[in-house]
Amino acid sequence: MPANKTSIHFDISERKVLLRLIDIAVVLAMLYMVSQLFNFDYFKINAVHWVWSIVLGIYLTIFATIFELYNLQKAGKFEVTIQNIILTTSVTVLFYLLTPFFTPELPENRLQIVYFYISINLSLILWRYVYVTFVSAARFNKRVLLIADGPEIERIIDSLEASDPNYKVVGYVKSGENNYTGQHRVSLLEFKNSELFDLVKEHTISEVVVAAPAYEGITLPLYNQLLHMLESGVSIREYTQVYEDINRRVPVQQIDQDFYKFFPFSRSNQNKLYLFFHRGLDLFLSVIGLVLGLLLSPIVFIGNIIGNRGPLFYTQERVGKNGIPFKIFKLRSMVVDAEKTGAQFAQKGDIRVTKFGRFLRNTRLDEIPQFLNVIKGEMSIIGPRPERTVFVNELSKKIPFYEVRHLVKPGVTGWAQVNADYGSTDADALRKLQFDLYYIKHRSFFLDISIIVKTLSTIIFYRGQ
């Protein structure tokens, strides 16, 4: 490759912003074109009716997030994207029609609503086809040079490429002087003296990721070359920072005992205004949740009588903030004597879960009584899920920093619940802890709203645990 050739790539945050902005732009452009070419007066884009466009853009962004149009793993699959576009457009148009105070009044010619619906679908499908074909193609991959050594290289590559389909490790350079000779899926790139910069240009590297083991570090010649490249504008980042950015979780297995170096906890944990907002959101959503529970109570009562055959509610001791235990309220989803042989994690496809209990879990209706815990101040709407004392004691001995999750109130939902798959092994617990620590480290108004939206997506797609 020519030495002066540069790669074009988009980071995760850039692609998500790109998708959101162009989604709105192509929809408005299509509607404007339709209004100009045809006798279409339901939706006008002009200085008089500018609010209509803003409301449509807000609805589109919210429901596109709920229906996972900005999930990059799925955004690159055109068949899945089409399904999510139809769902997004259907709900967006429905809400748009039902809020005439902010949107146009229903037209006399109801066929215009069909044009409105088709125009939004068509514009999104055409644009997302372009995205899948060009923007998410290999030509826009972020080409990465890894500086690392030892058997952990494969795990590092897996962790980077699994979360970002456009993140490609093209090779690695030894970080130290050890003689590890294991085979890896990417090539060892050799260089001499001052040739590392030339190596970066030759392979069109977008970013250098340093994952040097703490016990080995980086050799002085390599350090000097990295410093030279940094001064020349090459992006050089440390692995744990990259991991946290693209996975949105903290790599606790990589940070040893350097606790305060990696966990400068969010200022929001001491921010009075944020804590006031957070508590207000807790109370507001809890009241709505309890009202919804009352409306659904006839269905729940009947389902419990037919499918559960036993008490409707149950309580259980869980560990709360600062390690203080409390009694959690839930709708019973397992058989009455589910733990007659002792406490155990719920398994995927657990035979102890009743048929109606499975429905309660998948829809998360079993969590509704926990809104009482939230009102009492024992829980929050958002936070790490509370575990039983026996499991906390067990996992704390196996997983570093596990008890850090008790620095905040446990939640009805949380960052781990909307990102991690169902699991009951120690590895699953570690993965969930990584998400929980990310939330504690970065909790904010916008992250809270993101979790609430993702929770709605979990319920809609019937993925409750």
Side-chain angles (χ1 to χ4, degrees):
M1 294 183 183
N4 62 349
K5 184 176 181 180
T6 59
S7 63
I8 300 175
H9 64 271
F10 299 98
D11 291 331
I12 286 180
S13 58
E14 292 172 336
R15 287 203 298 278
K16 288 185 176 181
V17 170
L18 179 73
L19 287 172
R20 284 182 166 88
L21 292 179
I22 300 187
D23 278 355
I24 295 173
V26 297
V27 166
L28 294 180
M30 176 67 79
L31 291 173
Y32 180 78
M33 184 177 68
V34 170
S35 67
Q36 295 299 309
L37 296 178
F38 304 100
N39 184 23
F40 181 78
D41 56 10
Y42 171 63
F43 186 90
K44 294 287 186 180
I45 299 178
N46 52 41
V48 178
H49 302 300
W50 57 272
V51 175
W52 295 355
S53 298
I54 292 178
V55 173
L56 180 61
I58 292 173
Y59 284 168
L60 183 62
T61 299
I62 292 174
F63 294 117
T65 301
I66 292 174
F67 292 109
E68 301 182 329
L69 279 180
Y70 306 125
N71 181 323
L72 296 183
Q73 296 287 358
K74 296 182 179 180
K77 301 175 182 176
F78 191 57
E79 297 80 5
V80 176
T81 298
I82 290 179
Q83 298 174 22
N84 292 342
I85 285 174
I86 294 173
L87 286 171
T88 297
T89 303
S90 300
V91 179
T92 297
V93 171
L94 177 62
F95 269 73
Y96 199 78
L97 295 173
L98 295 177
T99 54
F101 183 78
F102 302 103
T103 59
E105 295 182 359
L106 294 179
E108 293 183 5
N109 182 3
R110 295 295 194 262
L111 193 59
Q112 291 201 12
I113 297 175
V114 178
Y115 297 155
F116 183 63
Y117 177 77
I118 292 176
S119 297
I120 297 176
N121 267 312
L122 184 60
S123 59
L124 288 175
I125 290 173
L126 290 175
W127 145 236
R128 288 308 186 97
Y129 177 78
V130 172
Y131 174 82
V132 171
T133 305
F134 297 103
V135 181
S136 65
R139 65 176 66 88
F140 291 109
N141 284 347
K142 187 169 190 175
R143 296 170 60 82
V144 176
L145 174 64
L146 182 64
I147 295 181
D149 210 350
E152 73 276 3
I153 288 179
E154 289 296 314
R155 178 178 53 77
I156 291 173
I157 295 172
D158 285 339
S159 68
L160 294 176
E161 295 185 349
S163 294
D164 185 353
N166 291 91
Y167 206 95
K168 300 299 179 184
V169 178
V170 299
Y172 77 98
V173 169
K174 284 188 175 183
S175 59
E177 298 177 342
N178 68 50
N179 296 317
Y180 180 78
T181 58
Q183 297 297 312
H184 303 294
R185 80 180 78 168
V186 297
S187 302
L188 169 63
L189 303 180
E190 301 285 359
F191 70 98
K192 298 179 181 179
N193 299 326
S194 61
E195 294 178 355
L196 184 57
F197 194 20
D198 294 332
L199 197 67
V200 168
K201 291 192 291 183
E202 176 188 350
H203 292 274
T204 325
I205 299 300
S206 308
E207 183 170 273
V208 176
V209 175
V210 181
Y215 56 85
E216 291 182 1
I218 298 177
T219 61
L220 182 58
L222 178 57
Y223 174 84
N224 289 332
Q225 292 199 51
L226 288 173
L227 184 60
H228 170 64
M229 289 194 300
L230 186 63
E231 293 171 343
S232 301
V234 177
S235 174
I236 301 175
R237 302 176 67 197
E238 201 272 329
Y239 166 66
T240 56
Q241 296 174 342
V242 176
Y243 181 98
E244 188 170 322
D245 284 348
I246 69 175
N247 288 279
R248 308 294 295 277
R249 50 192 172 115
V250 175
V252 293
Q253 72 276 22
Q254 290 290 126
I255 63 181
D256 299 319
Q257 301 303 315
D258 296 331
F259 179 83
Y260 293 102
K261 176 182 177 182
F262 289 92
F263 295 141
F265 291 114
S266 171
R267 294 178 181 177
S268 294
N269 292 319
Q270 288 81 39
N271 186 306
K272 296 291 193 295
L273 182 61
Y274 168 75
L275 295 177
F276 176 78
F277 152 77
H278 193 82
R279 182 57 180 163
L281 185 66
D282 282 347
L283 295 175
F284 175 72
L285 293 180
S286 294
V287 171
I288 292 178
L290 290 174
V291 170
L292 178 63
L294 288 175
L295 295 176
L296 296 175
S297 58
I299 297 174
V300 173
F301 280 126
I302 296 173
N304 182 70
I305 293 173
I306 298 174
N308 275 359
R309 299 182 181 180
L312 177 61
F313 300 97
Y314 87 97
T315 61
Q316 194 176 71
E317 185 177 276
R318 299 286 178 97
V319 178
K321 183 179 180 181
N322 298 326
I324 300 173
F326 70 98
K327 293 288 185 180
I328 195 173
F329 305 115
K330 292 193 73 173
L331 293 177
R332 186 175 58 85
S333 59
M334 290 188 175
V335 295
V336 176
D337 57 351
E339 293 191 334
K340 60 182 179 182
T341 59
Q344 54 184 296
F345 280 113
Q347 306 288 327
K348 189 172 184 177
D350 200 322
I351 60 173
R352 298 174 301 162
V353 179
T354 66
K355 290 183 178 180
F356 184 66
R358 183 75 57 196
F359 167 76
L360 292 176
R361 288 189 170 205
N362 288 339
T363 57
R364 293 205 171 182
L365 290 176
D366 63 321
E367 313 285 3
I368 286 180
Q370 289 169 45
F371 291 125
L372 294 173
N373 292 112
V374 175
I375 291 175
K376 291 174 64 178
E378 298 166 330
M379 293 179 64
S380 176
I381 293 294
I382 301 167
R385 284 296 296 164
E387 287 290 356
R388 300 173 64 178
T389 304
V390 60
F391 296 141
V392 170
N393 293 337
E394 180 182 333
L395 292 171
S396 296
K397 297 175 183 177
K398 301 177 181 179
I399 302 176
F401 314 122
Y402 187 81
E403 292 189 353
V404 174
R405 65 202 301 276
H406 300 136
L407 288 177
V408 299
K409 290 180 183 179
V412 178
T413 186
W415 192 235
Q417 278 59 53
V418 298
N419 284 286
D421 294 330
Y422 186 89
S424 57
T425 65
D426 291 345
D428 297 324
L430 172 62
R431 179 176 170 82
K432 289 181 179 180
L433 174 65
Q434 292 175 330
F435 284 114
D436 287 334
L437 293 184
Y438 182 90
Y439 173 72
I440 295 172
K441 185 176 179 180
H442 297 281
R443 65 194 302 228
S444 64
F445 168 80
F446 294 105
L447 185 55
D448 287 346
I449 296 301
S450 175
I451 292 171
I452 291 173
V453 172
K454 285 178 176 288
T455 300
L456 293 175
S457 177
T458 299
I459 294 172
I460 290 171
F461 285 102
Y462 206 58
R463 289 197 297 257
Q465 299 176 5

